[in-house]
Amino acid sequence: MTALDPAAAGPGSVPSQPFGARLSAAMDTHGPLCVGIDPHAALLQAWELADSVAGLETFAMRCVEAFAGEVACVKPQSAFFERHGSAGVAVLERVVAALREAGTLCLLDVKRGDIGSTMTGYAQAYVGQGPLAADAMTVSPFLGYESLRPALDLAAQYGRGVFVLALTSNPQGGAVQHAVPSDAAVGSRRSVAGDVVAGVRADNAAAARAGRLGDVGMVIGATVAQDVRRLGLDLAAANAPLLAPGVGAQGGSGRGLAQAVGAARVNILAASSREVLRAGPDRAALRSAAGATADRLALELRG
């Protein structure tokens, strides 16, 4: 395993490069794939593991051993660790630490969204200097984009990233994300998702001027890629990494997603969990599945 950034070896370290630059380098090396670690009960059973803390740890650390140094990014889903209580969170800490030690980017999928001091607390936990601090975290902007400011600012301070939900694939998402805010300018048809894109663009402007990928990304579901054009979202101008869940097993098309986002296709980081994890529990099979998926995605998204 080759460490991408030795300066980030400890939880209190500040990486020598900002998140967007590190992610670009990782995708150039390993391809545009982010593998999820999703130890839900059905997968534990499929791997013949107990739905317990011991089973959770075996599953999670086997994923780390298979993917560290092999893929651009690994995305543990916090909920599947939290459901086991404090012992499960302790396993998550070990996963984050192991990925950090290996030099593999860790995106912690927590989807936190709150205001004021509470948002600051979440930011300190996941993109600060504590034992759960990852390279990036997912956040929900639906209390208003500026409610995320504590996370955006702290992530920037420590060279970390933030992925903001913009267009999600759940059927209920469109009712919020496609809506036009009541305080929109007269004649404006900019949606809530459009406000998110505008906020991300502003936060990534300095990185764009420096000629590098921004540190504030967006989550764009591959299965709702058609909504990018329908809502008139200029994702390329946002200069943002685009985390795209739903490519592959969930029915999203890599080529369709690439066509929908246009010039922003080079910024896509496709998230895959089910398609890769079903190859387990054998480490070599997991690694092989990840490599094959990364190669396919590189052709679909970059070719």
Side-chain angles (χ1 to χ4, degrees), residues 70-82:
E70 303 291 332
V71 299
C73 186
V74 175
K75 181 174 68 67
Q77 169 49 259
S78 181
F80 296 125
F81 294 82
E82 293 174 36

Side-chain angles (χ1 to χ4, degrees), residues 196-279:
V196 171
V197 175
V200 171
R201 178 177 182 175
D203 277 305
N204 285 337
R209 290 192 295 271
R212 67 167 184 84
L213 184 63
D215 308 315
V216 183
M218 289 180 283
V219 179
I220 304 289
T223 57
V224 292
Q226 69 279 359
D227 293 331
V228 172
R229 288 181 174 174
R230 190 162 67 82
L231 296 173
L233 305 180
D234 188 352
L235 299 185
N239 187 40
L242 302 176
L243 181 68
V247 177
Q250 295 181 44
S253 162
R255 295 193 186 280
L257 176 63
Q259 291 171 358
V261 305
R265 65 193 296 168
V266 297
N267 300 336
I268 295 172
L269 176 66
S272 177
S273 299
R274 202 176 312 167
E275 183 174 356
V276 175
L277 295 178
R278 67 188 178 193

Side-chain angles (χ1 to χ4, degrees), residues 49-183:
L49 295 171
D51 187 9
S52 65
V53 173
L56 169 73
E57 182 159 24
T58 297
F59 181 101
M61 298 313 295
R62 191 165 297 171
C63 287
V64 170
E65 292 163 4
F67 305 137
E70 303 291 332
V71 299
C73 186
V74 175
K75 181 174 68 67
Q77 169 49 259
S78 181
F80 296 125
F81 294 82
E82 293 174 36
R83 72 190 185 94
H84 292 278
S86 60
V89 174
V91 173
L92 181 58
E93 288 182 8
R94 290 194 281 277
V95 168
V96 172
L99 291 169
R100 183 188 304 117
E101 181 68 24
T104 295
L105 293 178
C106 176
L107 166 56
L108 197 50
D109 198 352
V110 290
K111 297 185 180 71
R112 298 300 196 255
D114 217 305
I115 59 173
S117 60
T118 308
M119 191 69 236
T120 299
Y122 286 135
Q124 290 169 337
Y126 303 120
V127 290
Q129 293 185 296
L132 279 171
D135 293 286
M137 67 181 290
T138 55
V139 294
S140 173
F142 301 119
L143 292 178
Y145 182 83
E146 281 303 309
S147 69
L148 303 176
R149 186 54 52 194
L152 296 166
D153 289 349
L154 197 69
Q157 178 181 343
Y158 290 117
R160 308 191 194 281
V162 172
F163 282 85
V164 185
L165 299 180
L167 285 176
T168 61
S169 58
N170 60 306
Q172 304 83 8
V176 174
Q177 296 152 18
H178 300 183
V180 177
S182 60
D183 60 352

